[in-house]
């Protein structure tokens, strides 16, 4: 995604229907999607368009990611921000008793999703809790079960 972003025109003009070239790079899944960037069709960007097409062709050859529980192919995979150990989520807990502070590890479930998540609090500001996902690995280390805050 970063390689593709560097090759895009960088105008952040929104012609593609997205707010920035970065967002376009994130959502681009195949060569056909390149048509949405009208700027790339200009002659001076044709070389870059070809490079992007090459990168997309490589990524299409990678193995599909199949969900363990539902058996469905993932349309995208989340990745950590550069330099971070895992993905972030911003949460708004429904539980008024959830007093989460920096460093706390807890478990929760996203509304409408069946999977329990485990996360570590990065910050808790104005009711929005920013976390790193940690997975349940610490349970295997004999540490106490983390607080379950529900939805
Ligand atoms: S149309 Fe192209 S240049 Fe404009 S924001 Fe989208 S990707 Fe960037």
């Amino acid at each position: 995604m970063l390689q593709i972003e560097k090759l895009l025109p960088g105008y952040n003009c929104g012609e593609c229907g997205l707010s920035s070239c970065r967002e376009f790079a994130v959502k681009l899944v195949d060569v056909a999607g390149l048509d949405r960037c009208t700027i790339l069709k200009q002659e001076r960007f044709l070389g870059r368009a070809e490079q992007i097409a090459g990168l997309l062709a490589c990524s299409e050859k990678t193995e599909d990611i199949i969900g363990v529980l539902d058996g469905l192919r993932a349309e995208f995979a989340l990745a950590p921000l550069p330099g971070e150990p895992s993905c972030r989520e911003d949460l708004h807990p429904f539980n008024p008793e959830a007093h989460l502070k920096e460093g706390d590890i807890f478990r929760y479930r996203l509304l409408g999703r069946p999977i329990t998540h485990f996360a570590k609090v990065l910050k808790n500001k104005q009711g929005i809790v920013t976390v790193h996902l940690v997975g349940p690995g610490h349970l295997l280390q004999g540490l106490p079960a983390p607080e379950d805050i529900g939805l």
Side-chain angles (χ1 to χ4, degrees), residues 9 11-16 20-21 24 37 39:
Y11 290 171
N12 299 319
C13 60
E15 283 289 315
C16 54
S20 66
C21 296
F24 183 81
C37 176
I39 312 292

Side-chain angles (χ1 to χ4, degrees), residues 24-143:
F24 183 81
V26 168
K27 299 204 168 155
L28 188 63
V29 292
D30 56 29
V31 176
L34 277 178
D35 277 350
R36 295 194 345 242
C37 176
T38 52
I39 312 292
L40 263 185
K41 292 177 185 167
Q42 294 177 8
E43 194 172 341
R44 62 198 166 122
F45 288 120
L46 288 182
R48 291 191 191 194
E50 277 177 22
Q51 287 182 60
I52 294 171
L55 288 169
L56 288 167
C58 288
S59 69
E60 283 168 8
K61 286 180 199 148
T62 58
E63 267 184 45
D64 288 344
I65 301 171
I66 305 297
V68 174
L69 296 181
D70 58 16
L72 298 176
R73 188 178 71 82
E75 293 175 340
F76 59 89
L78 300 177
L81 295 171
E84 298 208 355
S86 70
C87 292
R88 287 184 178 220
E89 281 183 351
D90 285 329
L91 309 170
H92 176 62
F94 287 177
N95 182 351
E97 305 297 318
H99 300 295
L100 299 167
K101 59 185 186 317
E102 186 179 335
D104 284 350
I105 293 179
F106 65 104
R107 59 189 288 177
Y108 60 100
R109 196 163 55 79
L110 298 174
L111 184 63
R113 303 275 183 86
I115 310 293
T116 298
H117 287 211
F118 294 81
K120 185 175 188 178
V121 178
L122 296 175
K123 65 180 177 183
N124 186 351
K125 198 170 177 189
Q126 296 174 329
I128 302 297
V129 185
T130 302
V131 302
H132 268 154
L133 298 178
V134 296
H138 58 287
L139 292 176
L140 303 174
Q141 298 161 13
L143 297 172

